[in-house]
Amino acid sequence: MARYVYDFAEGGRDMADLLGGKGANLAEMTRLGLPVPPGFTVTTEACRAFLATGAEPEGMAQEVARHLSALEDSAGRPLGAPDDPLLLSVRSGARFSMPGMMETVLDVGLTDDSVLGLAKASGSERFAWDSYRRLVQMFGSTVMGVDASRFEEAMTRLKEARGAPDDLHLDASDLAGLTDTYKDLVLDGTGEEFPQSPAEQLRRAVLAVFRSWNGARARLYRRREGIPDDLGTAVTVQRMVFGNLGADSGSGVAFTRDPATGRPGLYGDYLADAQGEDVVSGIRNTVPLAELERLDPRSYRQLRDHMLTLERHYRDLCDIEFTIERGRLWMLQTRVGKRTAEAAFAIAAELAEEGLITPDEALIRVGGQGLARLMFPRFDTSVTGAALAHGIPASPGAAVGAAVFDSAEAVRRAAAGERVVLVRQETTPDDLPGMVAAQAVLTSRGGKTSHAAVVARGMGRVCVCGAEELTVDTENRCFATRDGTVVQEGTVISVDGSTGAVYPGAAPLVPSTVMRYLETGEQSAGVVAAVARALEQADAVRRLEVRANADTPEDAARARRFGAQGVGLCRTEHMFLGERRHLVEEMILARTDGERDRALAALLPLQRVDFTGILAAMDGLPVTVRLLDPPLHEFLPDHTELAVRVAATEARGELPSLRDTELLEAVGRMHEENPMLGLRGVRLGLVVPGLVAMQVRAIAEAVVARVRAGGSPRAEIMVPLVGAVEELRIERAEVERVLAEVSAETGVPLPCPVGTMIELPRAALTAGRIAQEAEFFSFGTNDLTQTTWGFSRDDVEAEFFSAYLDKGVFAISPFETLDRDGVGRLVRIAVDEGRAARPDLKIGVCGEHGGDPDSVHFFHAAGLDYVSCSPFRVPVARLEAGRAALERTGGGARW
Ligand code: ADP
Ligand code: MG
Ligand code: MG
């Protein structure tokens, strides 16, 4: 039969699945010989059984009774005994820490009788009634469902009546009276008397803690943290120790290092004459832990020793809850503590330095998400002052701008050179121009997957969403904060997308020291040194190469500074925009071969200069140039605009210009219902004469120029959107013909590898055949995701992704993190069949997933040779490629 209860002495930290983190760590501390009040833990398995059936699993009650009586024996007194009661705490604790999200009941065992016994045994009537009123309050709200605020109101009324600034100024008879008031509230709210049987109190408290797993707060927290809903919570039953026994008692929380910066030393808060819940409830002001050294030097020293023991034992930052009962220190909880990104890097580096963990372990403990955060400039929080509001940090970064309340105003002001923050209740696709124009987007509604959040992240805009404290009044162009402050349009505000805070005025920014290090190599102490250490370790252990997606010499140079080992994707279409657009128009409008050749010839030198610059920036490293990919009409004017212009001219009785008429005709001819699946990619090369030849010649001549300048150019030519090997065969022949031609003209050998993107399911499924014509594959996972799901990214993301995320169709957008099951399967097929056909096939990825931590782990596991991502993501990819190499399972990178 299953076993549902474990004494602290029987557990350990590796049993967190069964005992929850709290129970497992209490057991671990007990085994380490630290002063932990004795107790036992009811397993998560019992909780799951209870939640599934609504009844305690068979045998659980008997097991609890057996462990209770052992506890009573060791304490030398029974639970709730009238003369000298044993009291218990009943605590929640799940596999993953969910601080404050579930329930705890303290002082179980107090009744109208035993409160008198407790007063006598402790010698403090005030303490006894303080404990009893706490039990009625916690039991009343948690177990019996009375609204917690009703107890708080009664307490506030009493303090007012007595003129007491805080609860310490209430005496024994005040608290006895308050207990009566609380009991009335229970009777009034539930029609039931507060239970006077200690055994019943215990049983009901345990079941209530089980139920608190499914409380609204806990469910919301799990959804946000990605914790599964079916784990259940364990329940720890433990002898009470008392911090509310007078000035020589108290409760506190402590960290073995500063969780904000990682700096070593004891950090924490202490509150004298208090039970633990008071420390975080803000009922009275705490003092810094250092004060305890003065108040109670012996306990302070003991605490310091225990914390050292714990940090050595766990080999990580620990956070701790403790209580001092009349000068005696008790340890009530420990866990490996949460920390900021900065602290994560600093602590990992320092523990490795101390030899407590290996450099590999240090690398595992940091992550790309955190590194990305450290690369943004930040607000200097030492001078920002109080925030106007807090929302959900949805897209990181720090932005300052004038508040504007609609998209048009944002566009207008931005065009005039003003920085703006778009403030909306929530955004819709109509707000897109404003979002593009704004530095940041702030909404009062919606979560991390709202339209505002999804779109802002995609565009790299700062976003704070769901700031529910704000009332946004679009009509009157202002918003109001909870305390009534009204912020009018045009007022400057600051938005911190990393913390969710919104500040008044222009909060001062501090540039990221990590970014400066990446840009210049300039080392400094602290977090920069820690990041440098982690990246060095990652570079030493990773198998994946990291390249960058770069279209300009500047981007290529930056990527190289960030550690890129080449360009994995150089998009040539960007070179067709701006003033060169009219040359592209000429090419499209050309009626004769001669006209077309002239247009192409004019484009050629421009392209050559671009390629020469990029090859120079990446000298000695591979540069993969993709031949033109997007449909040609993207380079022509908008159809409606053109049609209006022509119509307006005609209406004035004038003749539209020949060029406008021709353009309008061409745009109409080239219109496609679904251009994403139309004439683009390799198809363009096959049907637009001269286009491929011009591009390849530009590349080849750039290589020649670089060779003649003494460089080592390594251009690779990549054909987009291939679906059939025949397409690649035809295009490749053309590429090789031009390469040979230029080589013959110049006498410079041109050994440029020719490869293809794999971005259509058909390409992945026929990869074995395609590999016969390709020297390399590069997965275009953006298009591959679109074509695998049948999603048009621009259309669906803003339209319904938030609904899909809410409904749980997927947990994260497949455009953000690679969909392993579908798209990933195609990747694996293509890798296997491609390599089977051509063992030395070089394989990489150049979609945005190349810089996404979780996806990088997948690409490592799938056996790719490199990932390529935007320059700013290169350090993130390096770090995650290193972590992936250390991971045995290829599991995931989320941290
Ligand atoms: P949470 O998971 O929300 O931190 P806990 O189970 O840790 O909840 O309980 C909250 C507080 O109750 C603790 O910080 C501690 O101060 C107090 N507490 C819990 N158990 C005991 C106990 N055995 N004796 C005294 N105080 C306790
Ligand atoms: Mg706790
Ligand atoms: Mg593509």
Side-chain angles (χ1 to χ4, degrees):
M1 203 171 71
R3 180 167 170 202
Y4 296 116
V5 184
Y6 289 79
D7 190 88
F8 287 171
E10 299 172 302
R13 71 162 151 169
D14 49 355
M15 291 172 71
D17 281 337
L18 207 55
L19 305 180
K22 194 181 290 164
N25 288 324
L26 280 165
E28 191 76 13
M29 285 201 289
T30 303
R31 284 170 32 159
L32 284 172
L34 301 191
V36 176
F40 55 85
T41 300
V42 187
T43 64
T44 54
E45 198 184 340
C47 174
R48 288 191 295 270
F50 173 75
L51 292 178
T53 64
E56 292 163 78
E58 202 187 316
M60 180 187 124
Q62 291 85 328
E63 271 188 77
V64 169
R66 224 175 26 249
H67 281 83
L68 174 62
S69 85
L71 202 57
E72 291 174 326
D73 287 349
S74 80
R77 52 194 203 276
L79 173 65
D83 49 342
D84 179 9
L86 168 68
L87 301 186
L88 298 175
S89 75
V90 178
R91 316 174 63 184
S92 54
R95 168 76 183 84
F96 300 104
S97 158
M98 299 167 53
M101 294 300 138
M102 292 182 294
E103 305 295 350
T104 293
V105 185
L106 304 181
D107 304 312
V108 167
L110 278 176
T111 60
D112 293 351
D113 287 338
S114 65
V115 69
L116 304 175
L118 182 67
K120 215 171 292 152
S122 67
S124 170
E125 240 180 274
R126 184 188 183 283
F127 154 72
W129 285 106
D130 185 47
S131 301
Y132 195 17
R133 68 96 188 163
R134 286 170 189 272
L135 171 64
V136 179
Q137 180 173 0
M138 279 192 245
F139 195 94
S141 60
T142 300
V143 183
M144 303 179 77
V146 180
D147 187 352
S149 64
R150 306 201 52 194
F151 297 109
E152 278 155 33
E153 283 158 19
M155 164 74 104
T156 307
R157 272 199 307 276
L158 176 64
K159 282 196 287 196
E160 274 166 15
R162 293 287 178 278
D166 61 42
D167 59 311
L168 286 188
H169 289 77
L170 300 175
D171 65 17
S173 76
D174 290 335
L175 293 167
L178 187 62
T179 309
D180 278 341
T181 311
Y182 281 3
K183 285 198 294 190
D184 289 344
L185 285 176
V186 167
L187 183 60
D188 191 46
T190 66
E192 192 194 340
E193 297 277 359
F194 177 77
Q196 292 295 319
S197 151
E200 183 192 342
Q201 287 175 8
L202 175 60
R203 176 162 177 275
R204 289 176 66 179
V206 168
L207 300 185
V209 172
F210 278 165
R211 275 189 214 105
S212 74
W213 172 258
N214 279 331
R217 247 182 317 153
R219 283 215 309 271
L220 190 68
Y221 183 83
R222 286 200 293 274
R223 194 159 332 134
R224 267 161 77 156
E225 298 291 309
I227 299 172
D229 269 328
D230 55 5
L231 300 176
T233 179
V235 179
T236 291
V237 177
Q238 185 181 31
R239 201 180 89 202
M240 279 300 295
V241 292
F242 302 102
N244 54 337
L245 263 169
D248 59 353
S249 305
S251 292
V253 297
F255 296 86
T256 58
R257 288 169 193 251
D258 184 343
T261 64
R263 249 172 252 126
L266 296 199
Y267 288 79
D269 301 303
Y270 181 70
L271 194 59
D273 200 1
Q275 278 197 345
E277 309 264 87
D278 304 339
V279 178
V280 287
S281 72
I283 182 166
R284 274 182 273 143
N285 284 337
T286 57
V287 297
L289 195 60
E291 277 286 291
L292 182 62
E293 188 166 17
R294 201 177 49 75
L295 295 172
D296 183 351
R298 223 192 77 192
S299 296
Y300 181 80
R301 274 197 308 277
Q302 278 175 6
L303 178 66
R304 201 189 49 201
D305 291 348
H306 295 335
M307 288 172 75
L308 202 65
T309 304
L310 286 172
E311 190 173 276
R312 303 258 127 192
H313 183 70
Y314 282 87
R315 304 184 310 136
D316 207 342
L317 161 81
C318 293
D319 81 23
I320 285 155
E321 294 175 3
F322 66 93
T323 281
I324 297 172
E325 178 181 317
R326 291 195 165 142
R328 180 150 184 214
L329 173 69
W330 293 97
M331 303 292 279
L332 290 182
Q333 187 174 333
T334 191
R335 66 184 159 219
V336 166
K338 298 208 154 100
R339 65 205 73 182
T340 62
E342 178 179 344
F345 278 89
I347 292 170
E350 198 144 332
L351 293 179
E353 183 95 334
E354 290 171 21
L356 224 51
I357 59 176
T358 65
D360 283 354
E361 282 174 295
L363 176 56
I364 289 291
R365 289 191 188 179
V366 296
Q369 230 73 280
L371 177 56
R373 219 167 295 145
L374 291 175
M375 289 168 66
F376 287 109
R378 288 184 295 175
F379 288 124
D380 183 352
T381 43
S382 63
V383 292
T384 45
L388 285 172
H390 284 275
I392 299 168
S395 180
V400 175
V404 294
F405 292 87
D406 67 41
S407 179
E409 184 66 16
V411 171
R412 206 156 32 241
R413 289 188 185 231
E418 195 176 354
R419 293 168 169 268
V420 298
V421 174
L422 180 62
V423 185
R424 304 284 288 164
Q425 215 163 63
E426 55 212 335
T427 61
T428 68
D430 290 341
D431 291 315
L432 213 57
M435 297 177 77
V436 174
Q439 308 295 312
V441 183
L442 169 63
T443 67
S444 59
R445 287 205 200 137
K448 264 197 156 132
T449 58
S450 61
H451 174 268
V454 172
V455 175
R457 268 201 302 278
M459 298 191 309
R461 286 292 176 282
V462 173
C463 178
V464 169
C465 58
E468 287 171 4
E469 307 158 29
L470 297 182
T471 317
V472 176
D473 183 348
T474 310
E475 206 132 299
N476 294 306
R477 317 193 80 80
C478 64
F479 68 78
T481 66
R482 188 162 279 173
D483 68 4
T485 310
V486 175
V487 173
Q488 302 286 353
E489 187 154 74
T491 311
V492 171
I493 56 173
S494 302
V495 180
D496 190 335
S498 311
T499 64
V502 182
Y503 300 102
L509 283 171
V510 277
S512 154
T513 52
V514 168
M515 186 61 119
R516 192 168 65 224
Y517 155 70
L518 292 167
E519 283 275 12
T520 64
E522 187 185 312
Q523 284 266 8
S524 65
V527 69
V528 170
V531 167
R533 201 83 44 78
L535 283 171
E536 271 161 34
Q537 188 62 17
D539 288 342
V541 300
R542 68 187 160 93
R543 183 185 56 71
L544 279 176
E545 280 176 32
V546 177
R547 297 190 193 179
N549 299 346
D551 308 337
T552 64
E554 296 75 42
D555 272 359
R558 164 177 291 129
R560 190 165 194 166
R561 290 197 297 277
F562 285 179
Q565 295 159 289
V567 167
L569 174 64
C570 172
R571 302 178 189 85
T572 52
E573 55 266 29
H574 294 186
M575 303 169 180
F576 279 44
L577 296 175
E579 5 186 289
R580 302 174 184 183
R581 205 158 151 158
H582 77 274
L583 293 173
V584 182
E585 285 176 14
E586 311 266 285
M587 175 185 88
I588 295 170
L589 298 179
R591 267 159 312 188
T592 65
D593 288 353
E595 279 178 21
R596 183 180 309 107
D597 288 349
R598 263 196 303 285
L600 286 169
L603 277 167
L604 174 73
L606 302 173
Q607 289 250 283
R608 188 172 54 219
V609 171
D610 297 328
F611 294 137
T612 310
I614 293 171
L615 288 169
M618 278 289 167
D619 196 54
L621 297 174
V623 173
T624 309
V625 180
R626 178 177 71 184
L627 300 179
L628 195 67
D629 181 32
L632 287 180
H633 68 78
E634 281 195 10
F635 302 101
L636 295 181
D638 178 67
H639 180 265
T640 318
E641 219 171 88
L642 206 53
V644 168
R645 192 158 79 212
V646 169
T649 314
E650 282 171 345
R652 282 198 304 272
E654 296 164 24
L655 221 52
S657 72
L658 178 61
R659 189 174 179 97
D660 275 358
T661 317
E662 280 180 352
L663 274 173
L664 186 58
E665 191 273 326
V667 172
R669 175 162 40 86
M670 297 175 75
H671 169 79
E672 292 175 326
E673 289 302 334
N674 191 343
M676 194 188 75
L677 300 178
L679 179 61
R680 51 170 291 214
V682 66
R683 304 161 197 174
L684 274 177
L686 295 194
V687 304
V688 180
L691 184 58
V692 168
M694 183 278 287
Q695 289 206 292
V696 174
R697 179 166 276 276
I699 296 166
E701 291 181 357
V703 171
V704 170
R706 287 297 307 149
V707 169
R708 290 189 171 148
S712 321
R714 289 178 57 193
E716 303 178 339
I717 294 173
M718 179 156 79
V719 181
L721 215 76
V722 164
V725 66
E726 291 76 12
E727 293 172 311
L728 184 59
R729 188 172 298 134
I730 299 167
E731 184 117 326
R732 182 190 171 99
E734 172 78 346
V735 169
E736 286 182 340
R737 184 187 63 74
V738 178
L739 287 175
E741 207 172 83
V742 176
S743 185
E745 286 163 19
T746 60
V748 175
L750 291 168
C752 298
V754 179
T756 184
M757 294 189 70
I758 302 290
E759 49 190 341
L760 293 174
R762 192 176 194 285
L765 296 171
T766 60
R769 255 172 285 161
I770 290 177
Q772 290 164 6
E773 295 292 331
E775 279 152 271
F776 62 88
F777 281 175
S778 179
F779 289 100
T781 49
N782 298 340
D783 268 317
L784 191 56
T785 300
Q786 298 200 90
T787 52
T788 300
W789 282 85
F791 284 155
S792 152
R793 178 177 186 165
D794 294 337
D795 296 323
V796 300
E797 232 179 6
E799 197 70 34
F800 65 82
F801 264 31
S802 41
Y804 261 39
L805 290 156
D806 282 347
K807 289 182 195 303
V809 178
F810 31 66
I812 188 161
S813 159
F815 291 110
E816 220 173 290
T817 290
L818 192 91
D819 150 37
R820 293 181 181 220
D821 299 341
V823 180
R825 177 123 196 265
L826 288 170
V827 169
R828 285 188 185 276
I829 289 171
V831 169
D832 290 349
E833 300 193 356
R835 288 244 171 82
R838 186 192 282 261
D840 64 347
L841 185 73
K842 182 111 177 166
I843 306 181
V845 58
C846 62
E848 276 165 55
H849 300 96
D852 167 67
D854 193 67
S855 311
V856 169
H857 286 240
F858 170 80
F859 295 130
H860 170 86
L864 266 57
D865 297 303
Y866 69 87
V867 295
S868 186
C869 54
S870 77
F872 287 106
R873 284 259 142 194
V874 164
V876 172
R878 284 164 60 198
L879 192 78
E880 291 296 349
R883 297 182 69 223
L886 297 176
E887 216 175 49
R888 269 159 306 164
T889 56
R894 244 162 279 145
W895 178 83

